[in-house]
Amino acid sequence: MQPILEIDQLEAGVQGKQILKGISLKIYPGEMHAIMGPNGSGKSTLASILAGRDGYEIIRGRVLYQGRNLLELSPEDRAREGVFLAFQYPVEIPGVNSAYFLKAALNEVRKYRGMPELDAIEFLALVKEKIKLLDLDEELLKRPVNVGFSGGEKKRNEVLQMAVLEPRLAVLDETDSGLDIDALKIVANGVNCLRKPDNAQLVITHYQRLLDHIVPDKVHVLVDGRIVMSAGKELALELESKGYDWIVREAKRVN
Amino acid sequence: MNSISTIPDADAAEAPHFGAVRTAFQQYESQTRAAGEPDWLASLRRRQLTRFLAAGYPTRRDEDWRHTSLDAVVSMPFALASSAGPDGRIVQLLEGSAFSSVSGQRLVFVNGHLIPELSRAVRSSDGVYVAGFASAVQEKSEILRARLTADSEDGSDGSLGALNLAFAREGAVVIVPANTVLDEPIVLVFVSFPQTAGERTHVRNVIMTGPNSRATVIEHYIGLGTESAVTSSVTELHAGQGAVFEHLKLQDESNSVFHLATLRARLESSSKVSCHSFALGSRLSRQNVLATLAGEGIEAVFNGLYLGDADRLIDHYLSVDHAAAGCASHEFFNGVLDDKATGVFYGRIRVRQHAQKTDAKQTNKNLLLSDDAAVHTRPQLEIYADDVKCTHGATIGQLDPEGLFYLRSRGLPVATARRMLIHAFAGEIIERVWCGAARDVLNRLVWDRVERTRHVSASEQ
């Protein structure tokens, strides 16, 4: 079976500074992987590179998405091909109405996939169904994108977009950070509901607590731009009780 | 003509091109006198011409004109525009024009001549007066005499204001009686259709709204043809005590037209006034907004959007005078400049010593879409009172790369993402328009212009 995402010996940096120092992982359909690691280990850099953010230099290695070179695609083509990044810091876009934006995005994606575009009524029916999943107020759709949203609303809005766009590969960049326990459960529930046998999820997190509610097939620990350990979900619990220090020491000893 | 003041003869120092101005004035005066224009106006015109001849056109040596050169206007021939009549092309232009769907009273002017066949003015029972300047100076002679004399003799409109009144053939006069509510906006359409190079149109509008009245006036400037021309427009606005008034100007003239305009507003206590300037067209435009907040408890908004492409120059000059205590004035001007366009913004808020509890805010934000576009912005506060809240700020920048990436990461093409952000930037200004019908029109119009913007599809990479 072909992996949905295959990262092979990826080395990358920003402004001449190398951040990722050789990352390899494979995510197969139906799988959810978690990447954990201390601050500054390169987690968000990896998320940004997968989504196609400007300003990163690829030094070595490759990233294949369903067998295709992901890195040569523009951010919009990645989205249309089914890659979705839930932003760590969702961007406020004053003046752009949320519903208008989401409908435009969905129709771009549908058009690309050869599906008919949805009209306003069809779109509203769809989004109202999805919005219940995230326990969000429908009024948010009338507001500008992320403007005046609370921290929790912004994160839930990311998962709402994910629910509407139905990506094949979702990368969630610290979607749990800044959430209280109720919001965390809602987000986790949303992510769980979107798990399908033919899609894959990569959850990037600093804390183990999200993993109380969503159960990854694999946990990778990223330290200083390298995956220093990969194991089952029990690794997350070990990190929670022992912290990152022991694994950082372990990594230094090996290198 | 004994009661009429005289114009001094030209001396050796007078610029040679003023000869044409003098000749045009003599011809024009004989026409207006033949038409029976009152003596007071003839006299006022002469005094204004004298004022213009003495001061001349503003030059870049004037601090207020540092970035805007009128050399092209000075060197153009000086010929008064004649009416182009209700030509088929004009009818077509009007039918497709921005506010054509907005119902209510409408006056249409072509080259500064009122065209009754294209207008829709009714003498309504509520006493609202909407008429052309030429008939208003007869019908409302005393009111206009007082208004125009007071307004023009203070000289704040500068030499261009003087030149305007010397030659103003037409314009709209709107008088709304006290306690009268007008549900529909009054739309004034000014079409320039120059037949030969250098044609000049001088329009003088007077809007007076009585105490506790409510009204909206829209001024729309459009054009046909490719000959160079000058549109000079001065609008005198007087909003009475407690009046609620919205003034919306859309300047969308042809690329060959130089548009020189002033809105002078005197606001009385407790009035609530919004003045919007949308500057989309002409080769060079200068919009002065000179406002006096004359009584207490006024809420005033001066709101503007300029979109420039090609080698247009769009200049806004604002001067807001807080002459009374407890007033709020907010100025919001956003500019989008592409190609080699230049934007100029000068905004001054003056708070007089006794204007305590003033709340004044001024922002000017500019979006540059190309490397060759430029903007000069100068917000200024001049505060003589000590218990006030005043802020100002100006920004010049490109589209937010984070916002662009966010939109693209959801599948939107880069051009669409850029348009969305530009439109949203413009939308901040459009949203402040109270009149719903006008807001819809502006939203569509601005979106269409943004669609045409050359640099929307430029890659960010």
Side-chain angles (χ1 to χ4, degrees):
Chain A
M1 191 169 42
Q2 188 184 50
I4 286 185
L5 181 69
E6 181 177 357
I7 304 177
D8 184 21
Q9 285 300 314
L10 181 66
E11 293 182 31
V14 67
Q15 290 174 331
K17 184 175 184 282
Q18 186 168 356
I19 294 170
L20 302 183
K21 298 171 180 171
I23 289 184
S24 299
L25 63 86
K26 285 182 189 165
I27 307 179
Y28 288 92
E31 286 186 346
M32 175 193 284
H33 287 211
I35 291 188
M36 300 184 70
N39 290 329
S41 56
K43 302 191 298 290
S44 286
T45 298
L46 178 62
S48 293
I49 288 171
L50 293 178
R53 190 190 293 270
D54 273 352
Y56 292 91
E57 302 132 39
I58 307 301
I59 300 161
R60 214 164 74 85
R62 55 182 194 154
V63 179
L64 298 180
Y65 168 69
Q66 303 192 107
R68 262 187 85 178
N69 180 0
L70 181 69
L71 301 178
E72 70 181 11
L73 298 179
S74 67
E76 52 271 36
D77 278 342
R78 294 181 201 202
R80 295 164 189 166
E81 288 281 350
V83 178
F84 181 91
L85 170 68
F87 280 55
Q88 182 179 3
Y89 303 109
V91 184
E92 292 188 8
I93 308 189
V96 177
N97 172 275
S98 290
Y100 171 76
F101 154 65
L102 195 49
K103 177 168 167 275
L106 176 62
N107 279 335
E108 282 295 340
V109 168
R110 288 178 67 93
K111 210 162 57 184
Y112 187 82
R113 293 173 191 169
M115 295 157 79
E117 294 185 34
L118 297 188
D119 64 23
I121 296 162
E122 292 165 329
F123 170 75
L124 216 60
L126 172 81
V127 79
K128 279 186 174 175
E129 176 204 322
K130 307 281 185 185
I131 210 165
K132 277 187 228 145
L133 184 69
L134 279 311
D135 194 31
L136 277 167
D137 188 350
E138 280 179 28
E139 286 297 305
L140 289 187
L141 291 170
K142 296 179 185 165
R143 304 224 301 253
V145 179
N146 291 321
V147 176
F149 289 29
S150 70
E153 283 171 340
K154 282 183 184 169
K155 296 299 180 83
R156 279 185 279 162
N157 188 37
E158 292 294 288
V159 184
L160 170 66
Q161 291 175 21
M162 175 177 156
V164 169
L165 298 176
E166 298 184 317
R168 175 133 309 168
L169 172 67
V171 179
L172 293 101
D173 188 7
E174 307 229 2
T175 301
D176 53 332
S177 67
L179 294 183
D180 62 31
I181 187 68
D182 292 330
L184 185 76
K185 279 182 185 162
I186 294 166
V187 164
N189 179 50
V191 173
N192 284 330
C193 289
L194 298 174
R195 233 174 135 166
K196 302 261 163 62
D198 63 345
N199 68 19
Q201 292 169 331
L202 179 60
V203 177
I204 293 173
T205 179
H206 182 78
Y207 301 104
Q208 183 271 339
R209 59 178 198 146
L210 177 64
L211 306 182
D212 289 341
H213 306 283
I214 53 181
V215 183
D217 299 293
K218 237 177 198 168
V219 176
H220 309 276
V221 180
L222 190 62
V223 174
D224 190 25
R226 289 184 182 87
I227 289 175
V228 294
M229 194 172 286
S230 296
K233 62 179 191 288
E234 62 287 347
L235 178 58
L237 290 169
E238 201 174 346
L239 286 169
E240 180 72 359
S241 58
K242 292 161 76 177
Y244 284 111
D245 288 352
W246 66 275
I247 213 159
V248 172
R249 279 195 299 276
E250 193 99 329
K252 279 188 181 144
R253 201 161 51 82
V254 173
N255 289 303
Chain B
M1 299 266 289
N2 288 343
S3 60
I4 296 177
S5 54
T6 53
I7 304 161
D9 290 336
D11 60 24
E14 185 168 292
H17 54 261
F18 284 170
V21 179
R22 285 173 179 272
T23 308
F25 186 78
Q26 273 165 12
Q27 288 169 0
Y28 181 59
E29 188 178 60
S30 60
Q31 283 174 30
T32 54
R33 296 302 285 171
E37 196 168 84
D39 285 355
W40 64 264
L41 184 55
S43 191
L44 189 56
R45 288 190 193 278
R46 284 189 166 196
R47 290 202 299 278
Q48 299 310 308
L49 183 75
T50 305
R51 186 152 74 93
F52 171 75
L53 292 173
Y57 287 100
T59 70
R60 291 179 66 178
R61 284 189 299 276
D62 296 315
E63 191 58 14
D64 294 343
W65 289 85
R66 209 161 55 162
H67 300 290
T68 302
S69 164
L70 293 182
D71 288 353
V73 171
V74 175
S75 58
M76 236 181 256
F78 193 97
L80 299 183
S82 51
S83 176
D87 179 289
R89 282 165 292 182
I90 292 169
V91 173
Q92 209 179 358
L93 176 75
L94 288 168
E95 279 169 359
S97 71
F99 300 104
S100 60
S101 59
V102 175
S103 55
Q105 301 208 66
R106 172 185 306 262
L107 295 183
V108 175
F109 302 85
V110 175
N111 291 343
H113 296 251
L114 177 64
I115 311 293
E117 302 94 302
L118 298 173
S119 301
R120 191 170 59 218
V122 283
R123 286 285 152 95
S124 52
S125 54
D126 53 12
V128 176
Y129 181 84
V130 180
F133 181 85
S135 41
V137 293
Q138 305 285 357
E139 294 167 359
K140 301 281 178 186
S141 182
E142 281 317 302
I143 298 175
L144 286 179
R145 178 184 188 165
R147 187 80 264 144
L148 290 173
T149 307
D151 286 337
S152 48
E153 308 260 300
D154 83 347
S156 67
D157 54 352
S159 63
L160 292 178
L163 183 66
N164 173 278
L165 188 54
F167 286 103
R169 184 188 303 274
E170 271 292 2
V173 174
V174 175
I175 304 173
V176 183
N179 306 310
T180 304
V181 175
L182 269 178
D183 295 322
E184 288 178 319
I186 295 167
V187 180
L188 312 173
V189 187
F190 302 90
V191 180
S192 48
F193 190 7
Q195 306 299 305
T196 55
E199 285 187 12
R200 316 266 170 153
T201 295
H202 302 90
V203 175
R204 174 70 59 145
N205 302 306
V206 179
I207 304 167
M208 298 168 73
T209 70
N212 305 311
S213 63
R214 280 180 93 104
T216 302
V217 172
I218 297 173
E219 290 181 38
H220 186 198
Y221 294 79
I222 40 177
L224 280 173
T226 52
E227 293 290 356
S228 59
V230 181
T231 300
S232 158
S233 146
V234 174
T235 297
E236 303 282 1
L237 163 65
H238 186 212
Q241 193 179 337
V244 177
F245 182 72
E246 179 163 51
H247 181 262
L248 193 155
K249 175 171 171 178
L250 171 60
Q251 183 274 105
D252 197 12
E253 299 230 48
S254 316
N255 285 347
S256 51
V257 171
F258 292 76
H259 184 94
L260 306 172
T262 295
L263 168 68
R264 197 156 43 166
R266 183 182 168 85
L267 315 182
E268 300 298 343
S269 60
S270 305
S271 58
K272 195 172 170 198
V273 175
S274 256
C275 298
H276 313 279
S277 169
F278 290 85
L280 274 57
S282 74
R283 179 176 179 79
L284 177 151
S285 69
R286 163 80 167 211
Q287 177 70 53
N288 298 320
V289 177
L290 313 173
T292 304
L293 279 56
E296 296 189 359
I298 295 166
E299 287 174 50
V301 171
F302 302 96
N303 186 45
L305 174 71
Y306 42 98
L307 302 182
D309 64 353
D311 57 355
R312 275 180 226 284
L313 184 144
I314 308 173
D315 182 347
H316 277 91
Y317 178 95
L318 272 79
S319 170
V320 176
D321 186 1
H322 278 260
C327 295
S329 79
H330 293 162
E331 300 170 15
F332 307 98
F333 278 75
N334 283 11
V336 181
L337 300 157
D338 197 4
D339 301 331
K340 293 178 175 169
T342 302
V344 181
F345 177 85
Y346 172 90
R348 186 182 68 167
I349 299 174
R350 183 171 172 196
V351 181
R352 300 204 187 210
Q353 201 171 356
H354 52 275
Q356 301 293 2
K357 306 283 180 198
T358 289
D359 176 1
K361 187 161 87 183
Q362 184 185 70
T363 57
N364 173 227
K365 297 199 274 185
N366 295 283
L367 205 50
L368 299 185
L369 300 180
S370 88
D371 292 342
D372 297 322
V375 69
H376 305 278
T377 174
R378 204 149 54 105
Q380 287 191 338
L381 291 171
E382 220 178 278
I383 304 171
Y384 301 102
D386 49 22
D387 183 15
V388 299
K389 200 171 90 190
C390 295
T391 59
H392 68 159
T395 61
I396 301 169
Q398 280 84 40
L399 290 171
D400 172 26
E402 276 299 300
L404 270 181
F405 175 60
Y406 190 78
L407 296 176
R408 294 175 70 192
S409 78
R410 299 301 182 247
L412 297 172
V414 65
T416 304
R418 288 175 69 91
R419 279 190 197 106
M420 270 190 186
L421 293 181
I422 298 167
H423 193 247
F425 180 78
E428 290 176 16
I429 301 299
I430 300 171
E431 273 171 27
R432 286 196 194 91
V433 174
W434 299 333
C435 173
R439 205 167 51 228
D440 293 345
V441 164
L442 288 164
N443 258 319
R444 272 198 305 275
L445 184 70
V446 169
W447 183 257
D448 286 350
R449 291 302 156 87
V450 170
E451 286 280 295
R452 279 180 3 205
T453 304
R454 233 173 306 254
H455 289 95
V456 288
S457 42
S459 168
E460 280 297 280
Q461 267 104 65

